[in-house]
């Protein structure tokens, strides 16, 4: 991948099955493209049949826009999607070819990777040594087409594999909701869910029906379906940031639609078997609000359509982000006049 094209940069990361890492990183705002492949070995031109014998690991190359997401953020996201204490593989996949590693492209990436690894070790999150290797990048070999965007083209097989791998169960146990002080419920104190009595008082009848009773508002008769202003969308209940106008598009459905979340960690997807069909419901993590559904018929780069209810959202225009306490997202909307 080109390191400087359009000011984009490249990160090379290994964390077990490249199908999973690719699927996870493509949801991160600021990531432009993710490619599955092989790296770290000495044998040339590896294939899926022989990459392990040539000393390579399964890895991904992440092409990202540093104006939207920096390398430190990528590393933080990486740690939250692997088991850094396992030197013998990752989850159900065993063997050196599935070990975790960070392949740095320059001295700055090496420094940040080492600092990030040290901070993770100090955090006490894991009770074992951090075994993820930090290695110089040499060469990356793109995997066969069959492996690219596997989670999109073979979604049922991928979901079955991922569930049985134990990856998400492990990550939920380690990185799941923190205990909120002063409350028996777990969550994020900054985005705590109010009591039902408070919600009934604060929300409109439609907002309550949508978020608390899995309701649906009318198409083309809601607040944000045609909103074209720049800014972010937060949960009407908890205020947790969910989606950005950068990823909003006109799906023609009459509801606000997005290609990916602003903060993937704040989105929970659940199987929904109502209406005599199987759909994927989208809820907020801390507010536990029903937001809408996600479908596999969206445009590039994700191929996903997050179809949401305006009644579950509050829009914060870019000029109000600072005063509303969301100043960190101003980086998404650079002043092009400067």
């Amino acid at each position: 991948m080109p390191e400087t094209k359009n000011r984009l940069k490249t990160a090379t990361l290994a964390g077990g099955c490249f199908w999973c890492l690719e699927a996870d990183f493509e949801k991160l705002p600021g990531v432009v493209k993710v490619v599955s492949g092989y790296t770290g070995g000495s044998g040339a031109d590896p294939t899926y049949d022989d990459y392990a014998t040539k000393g390579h690991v399964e890895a991904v190359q992440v092409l990202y826009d540093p104006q939207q997401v920096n390398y430190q953020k990528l590393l933080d996201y990486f740690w939250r999607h692997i088991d850094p204490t396992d030197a013998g593989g990752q989850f159900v996949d065993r063997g050196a070819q599935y070990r975790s590693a960070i392949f740095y492209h320059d001295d700055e990436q090496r420094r940040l990777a080492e600092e990030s690894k040290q901070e993770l070790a100090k955090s006490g999150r894991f009770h074992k040594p951090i075994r993820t290797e930090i290695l110089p990048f040499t060469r990356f070999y793109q995997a066969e087409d069959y492996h690219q965007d596997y989670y999109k083209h073979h979604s049922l097989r991928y979901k079955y594999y991922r569930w049985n791998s134990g990856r998400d169960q492990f990550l939920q146990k380690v990185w799941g909701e923190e205990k909120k002080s002063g409350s028996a419920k777990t969550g994020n104190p900054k985005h705590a869910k109010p009591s039902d009595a408070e919600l009934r008082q604060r929300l409109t009848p439609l907002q309550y029906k949508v978020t608390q009773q899995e309701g649906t508002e009318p198409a083309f008769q809601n607040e944000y379906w045609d909103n074209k202003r720049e800014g972010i969308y937060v949960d009407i209940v908890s205020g947790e940031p969910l989606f950005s106008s950068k990823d909003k598009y006109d799906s023609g459905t009459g509801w606000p639609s997005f290609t990916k979340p602003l903060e993937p960690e704040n989105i929970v997807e659940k199987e929904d078997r109502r209406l005599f069909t199987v759909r994927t419901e989208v809820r907020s993590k801390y507010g536990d609000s029903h937001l809408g559904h996600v479908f596999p018929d969206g445009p590039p780069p994700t191929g996903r359509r997050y179809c949401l209810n305006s009644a579950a959202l509050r829009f914060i225009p870019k000029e109000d982000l600072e005063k509303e306490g969301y100043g960190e997202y101003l980086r998404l909307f650079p002043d092009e006049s400067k």
Side-chain angles (χ1 to χ4, degrees), residues 172-189:
Q172 176 62 29
K173 180 179 179 181
V174 175
W175 296 99
E177 298 172 339
E178 304 286 346
K179 290 184 177 179
K180 185 182 67 174
S181 59
S183 171
K185 186 174 180 180
T186 59
N188 183 326

Side-chain angles (χ1 to χ4, degrees), residues 217-234:
E217 66 196 5
F220 300 103
Q221 298 178 41
N222 54 79
E223 190 172 3
Y224 302 130
W225 77 271
D226 197 33
N227 182 32
K228 296 181 173 62
R229 299 176 64 189
E230 290 190 310
I232 69 171
Y233 295 81
V234 304

Side-chain angles (χ1 to χ4, degrees), residues 21 127 225 267 337:
L21 273 193
H127 302 294
W225 77 271
I267 296 296
S337 64

Side-chain angles (χ1 to χ4, degrees), residues 11 16 49 76-77 79 82 106 131 139 148 160 192 321 334 337:
D49 293 327
D76 292 343
Y77 193 75
W79 297 127
I82 68 166
D106 53 39
R131 306 294 292 274
R139 182 173 179 180
Q148 307 303 326
Y160 179 81
L321 289 174
S337 64

Side-chain angles (χ1 to χ4, degrees), residues 43-73:
D45 301 318
T47 67
Y48 191 69
D49 293 327
D50 66 11
Y51 77 93
T53 62
K54 293 182 176 181
H56 294 283
V57 296
E58 290 195 12
V60 295
Q61 281 208 322
V62 181
L63 190 67
Y64 66 99
D65 182 351
Q67 292 188 338
Q68 295 189 48
V69 60
N70 58 32
Y71 190 67
Q72 182 62 61
K73 176 84 172 182

Side-chain angles (χ1 to χ4, degrees), residues 152 247 249-251 258-259 296-305:
K152 294 180 184 178
D247 305 307
Y249 75 103
D250 183 3
S251 65
F258 304 83
T259 58
D297 58 6
T302 67
R304 310 192 89 196
R305 171 171 60 94

Side-chain angles (χ1 to χ4, degrees), residues 114-317:
E114 291 175 349
E115 290 178 356
S116 182
K117 181 178 177 178
Q118 291 170 5
E119 288 299 317
L120 184 67
K122 293 177 183 178
S123 71
R125 179 74 62 173
F126 297 92
H127 302 294
K128 299 179 182 178
I130 305 302
R131 306 294 292 274
T132 300
E133 298 174 281
I134 299 175
L135 303 168
F137 173 76
T138 52
R139 182 173 179 180
F140 183 84
Y141 297 89
Q142 182 170 322
E144 296 81 349
D145 290 345
Y146 176 78
H147 296 293
Q148 307 303 326
D149 287 327
Y150 186 89
Y151 74 102
K152 294 180 184 178
H153 304 307
H154 308 278
S155 59
L156 290 179
R157 291 181 182 178
Y158 170 74
K159 289 179 180 179
Y160 179 81
Y161 160 77
R162 178 142 186 163
W163 173 257
N164 284 282
S165 75
R167 180 183 291 259
D168 289 333
Q169 297 89 322
F170 172 85
L171 298 174
Q172 176 62 29
K173 180 179 179 181
V174 175
W175 296 99
E177 298 172 339
E178 304 286 346
K179 290 184 177 179
K180 185 182 67 174
S181 59
S183 171
K185 186 174 180 180
T186 59
N188 183 326
K190 183 179 178 181
H191 300 298
K193 181 178 180 178
S195 66
D196 185 70
E198 185 178 344
L199 287 176
R200 288 181 180 274
Q201 183 178 29
R202 179 155 65 88
L203 301 179
T204 68
L206 179 59
Q207 289 170 340
Y208 186 89
K209 180 180 180 180
V210 167
T211 60
Q212 307 305 302
Q213 299 174 335
E214 290 80 47
T216 301
E217 66 196 5
F220 300 103
Q221 298 178 41
N222 54 79
E223 190 172 3
Y224 302 130
W225 77 271
D226 197 33
N227 182 32
K228 296 181 173 62
R229 299 176 64 189
E230 290 190 310
I232 69 171
Y233 295 81
V234 304
D235 181 5
I236 191 69
V237 168
S238 64
E240 59 196 287
L242 301 174
F243 293 88
S244 164
S245 62
K246 291 286 188 181
D247 305 307
K248 189 173 186 290
Y249 75 103
D250 183 3
S251 65
T253 61
W255 287 286
S257 300
F258 304 83
T259 58
K260 62 183 178 182
L262 171 61
E263 294 290 355
E265 305 293 338
N266 292 345
I267 296 296
V268 176
E269 298 182 10
K270 294 185 176 181
E271 186 178 274
D272 179 0
R273 290 185 173 270
R274 293 172 295 170
L275 302 181
F276 306 103
T277 187
V278 179
R279 298 181 296 172
T280 301
E281 180 192 10
V282 178
R283 303 185 72 88
S284 61
K285 180 176 181 179
Y286 299 110
D288 192 31
S289 301
H290 170 74
L291 305 175
H293 292 83
V294 60
F295 301 94
D297 58 6
T302 67
R304 310 192 89 196
R305 171 171 60 94
Y306 289 85
C307 185
L308 309 182
N309 290 278
S310 292
L313 307 172
R314 182 167 75 92
F315 175 70
I316 303 176

